[in-house]
Amino acid sequence: GNARFAGIWPQRCGGVCDAIQESFQVGLDFVLVSLNHEKLSTGVGPPHTSINSDLDLQAQSWTSQVVGVASDAPDDASSGDQGVASAARVLEKELGWATYLGLQAVVLPSVAGLSDAITPVVAQSVSQALGSKTFLQMWVQVPVASGASDHESYYRRWHTIRALSDYHKQVKVALVLGAELPD
C-alpha cells in the first residue's frame, strides 16, 4: 500500500488514543508510547505518552498502530551489580508488558546511553523476550555519530546486542538522526 512506516513520539499527549488520532491525521503509521507503567513498579520517572490500560485499545490497534519505547537505563545502572540487576528488571518488565499487549515493536534505549556493563544485560533481556515465541521486533537506537570514536563505540554496542541475541532477525537498528549529520 501507501504506508511509509513512519511514526511519532508525542511529547504532550496524555493518552495513547489521542496520540493515535493525532498521528493518523498527519499521515503517520504508528505512535510511540512509553512502556513505563505505574503498575509495573519500575521506579523509572514518568513517561511522555502513557498507556493507562490494556483496555484503551482493541487488540488490532495494539498490534498495528503502537510501538513501545523502553525506559533508558537508570543512572545507577553502571555503578555495580545492583544497578545492572535493577536495569535488567525494568527492561524485562517492560518487554513483558509489550509482549502482553501484542505490540509490533519496542524501541530499546540508545546505545549512546548504555555502558559496556549494561549492554550485555540488554542483549540478554532481548534474547529472553524473543525466545517467548513473540512477533515483537526490537529496534536498537544507534545515533549517527560525527566522531570516529563515537561511531566505533556505538557500533560495538549494537553488535554486542545483536550477537548476544544470536543475530535474531527481529533485532533491528533504528538510526537516530541528529541536527548535525557527518559529511
Side-chain angles (χ1 to χ4, degrees), residues 17-174:
C17 298
D18 295 336
I20 287 174
Q21 269 188 334
E22 289 176 20
S23 68
F24 288 155
Q25 286 175 355
V26 294
L28 299 173
D29 300 303
F30 61 88
V31 64
L32 290 115
V33 296
S34 174
L35 292 172
N36 178 10
H37 191 279
E38 62 187 37
K39 291 181 182 174
L40 294 180
S41 303
T42 60
V44 178
H48 296 281
T49 301
S50 61
I51 301 169
N52 296 321
S53 167
D54 57 337
L55 302 176
D56 284 349
L57 299 172
Q58 295 178 351
Q60 181 182 6
S61 295
W62 286 119
T63 59
S64 64
Q65 300 171 339
V66 178
V67 170
V69 179
S71 300
D72 290 331
D75 292 335
D76 67 345
S78 59
S79 62
D81 294 341
Q82 193 171 23
V84 170
S86 172
R89 278 191 304 276
V90 168
L91 185 57
E92 287 169 11
K93 286 181 180 183
E94 291 179 343
L95 292 178
W97 179 233
T99 301
Y100 170 77
L101 292 172
L103 301 185
Q104 60 184 317
V106 170
V107 177
L108 297 170
S110 174
V111 295
L114 298 178
S115 68
D116 288 338
I118 197 70
T119 301
V121 174
V122 169
Q124 181 180 14
S125 297
V126 166
S127 186
Q128 286 176 347
L130 292 172
S132 66
K133 305 291 184 222
T134 179
F135 295 103
L136 185 66
Q137 291 185 28
M138 305 290 179
W139 298 348
V140 181
Q141 295 181 69
V142 179
V144 174
S146 53
S149 64
D150 285 340
H151 177 75
E152 187 176 317
S153 171
Y154 298 163
Y155 177 79
R156 186 182 69 250
R157 290 181 187 138
W158 151 246
H159 182 70
T160 297
I161 292 170
R162 212 176 82 189
L164 293 177
S165 300
D166 200 24
Y167 300 96
H168 199 287
K169 65 182 180 178
Q170 288 168 236
V171 177
K172 311 281 184 176
V173 68

